[in-house]
Amino acid sequence: MKSASCGQPIPNSRSRKMKAGGVTFQPTDRDYFVKATQPVHDQFGGKYQDLMTRIADVK
């Protein structure tokens, strides 16, 4: 089974099956997460800047 891409919705049939198995889904605030993790980006940004940019560019 392929997992959903980051930020992509999970098809209803899969989410129903996952919910039936006890999985819960929570809405997220991307801007809050980015702000909260900024110190990590600042600390490791130099070494992993290319990777972090590729991740940030994922739609």
Side-chain angles (χ1 to χ4, degrees):
M1 174 196 308
K2 292 177 79 174
S3 62
S5 298
C6 180
Q8 298 298 315
I10 298 173
N12 285 337
S13 60
R14 286 189 191 167
S15 65
R16 281 194 299 271
K17 198 180 241 186
M18 293 169 75
K19 286 177 183 177
V23 173
T24 58
F25 295 91
Q26 301 297 321
T28 58
D29 181 344
R30 184 181 188 282
D31 293 332
Y32 176 82
F33 178 80
V34 169
K35 184 178 178 182
T37 58
Q38 190 60 49
V40 176
H41 289 246
D42 294 342
Q43 183 177 355
F44 297 104
K47 186 174 181 180
Y48 299 105
Q49 188 59 50
D50 292 339
L51 177 60
M52 291 184 340
T53 299
R54 287 178 36 210
I55 292 169
D57 290 342
V58 171
K59 299 289 178 193

